[in-house]
Amino acid sequence: PPAVPPPSPGSYWSPKGTNVRWSYTTLDTAAAITFHVSYEGTDGWGGVGYHAVTSERRGMYGADFAVASADTSADNVTLRVVDRTYDPHTPSSYSMPLADTDVGGTDDLHDTGVSVADGRTTFWFTRKLHTGDGVADNDLTRDDELNLVWAHYNYAEPSRVLRFHARNFETFRVRLVDPAAPPTPPAAPAMRAEYVAAIAVTSFTALLAAANVVALMCRR
């Protein structure tokens, strides 16, 4: 497999070759974020879920999902992205994510799309940092650190069912730094205490010498 590039602002490559990219934008004058997710495979479904690392939720439990389906085995190619959420009524963390609209929430993904090329599927979507959907969405914050859960399943037959992903999943942590923001300058190194003391002594000595010169001039 190709070498995994190191993390960079606005992009993360997982050990299994999944790439998540993000950039900040506005949506109806509100702060928003656009995600691009790319993974190996051309059929089936792929999804990414997220919640803040400060949350008590882990893995799929309580995650906010965006799931894309790409079925290229049928005559009519099916490409779509759906806003989904963990089923709050199922105690198991392995339940299938439900569409937000099925649990009383709203689908808050905008400008969605899916493309299939060179053996990889890429899907993208834009959502507001604060969607206002308190039922099914998790709010996001600029520069927030997130736990991401990623999974996919490839199938050869036409289907819209989210089959169990088995071992095709990953969990990783990313910080949503703003790729357009200028880098933070490094902090100036702290001056060692002995240097500070030496400067203070030198300054005092210089002042004392100047005072002696002034005193001699006044005596003349």
Side-chain angles (χ1 to χ4, degrees):
V4 176
S8 60
S11 177
Y12 178 85
W13 283 88
S14 77
K16 292 186 178 181
T18 299
N19 180 229
V20 180
R21 293 184 290 118
W22 61 88
S23 60
Y24 290 98
T25 183
T26 56
L27 191 62
D28 299 330
T29 70
I33 188 169
T34 297
F35 284 99
H36 285 76
V37 184
S38 175
Y39 61 96
E40 293 184 1
T42 58
D43 292 299
W45 63 266
V48 61
Y50 42 83
H51 40 62
V53 297
T54 55
S55 170
E56 295 181 355
R57 301 165 180 173
R58 293 293 181 269
M60 291 179 60
Y61 179 75
D64 190 359
F65 292 93
V67 180
S69 61
D71 185 357
T72 60
S73 61
D75 292 335
N76 297 319
V77 177
T78 299
L79 302 172
R80 60 178 184 160
V81 184
V82 178
D83 195 1
R84 291 179 176 266
T85 186
Y86 170 79
D87 184 359
H89 305 294
T90 303
S92 172
S93 61
Y94 300 103
S95 62
M96 181 182 71
L98 301 177
D100 285 13
T101 53
D102 290 341
V103 296
T106 56
D107 191 320
D108 296 292
L109 304 185
H110 302 265
D111 302 326
T112 63
V114 184
S115 68
V116 178
D118 300 325
R120 294 182 67 88
T121 297
T122 301
F123 68 90
W124 55 90
F125 61 93
T126 298
R127 54 153 287 175
K128 296 178 181 179
L129 298 184
H130 305 279
T131 66
D133 183 357
V135 176
D137 285 348
N138 293 335
D139 287 342
L140 297 176
T141 304
R142 189 183 295 263
D143 294 332
D144 200 10
E145 190 171 16
L146 297 180
N147 285 318
L148 293 185
V149 56
W150 160 256
H152 72 94
Y153 180 86
N154 291 326
Y155 47 76
E157 74 278 6
S159 175
R160 290 190 175 185
V161 177
L162 297 187
R163 306 290 182 86
F164 179 52
H165 53 71
R167 295 183 179 274
N168 298 320
F169 75 96
E170 299 175 88
T171 58
F172 40 90
R173 181 176 293 186
V174 299
R175 182 177 295 277
L176 297 178
V177 295
D178 188 349
T184 303
M191 188 173 294
R192 294 173 59 177
E194 55 267 31
Y195 293 160
V196 175
I199 292 173
V201 170
T202 302
S203 299
F204 178 76
T205 303
L207 290 173
L208 184 60
N212 289 335
V213 171
V214 172
L216 290 173
M217 294 178 64
C218 290
R219 291 175 184 176
R220 295 178 182 178

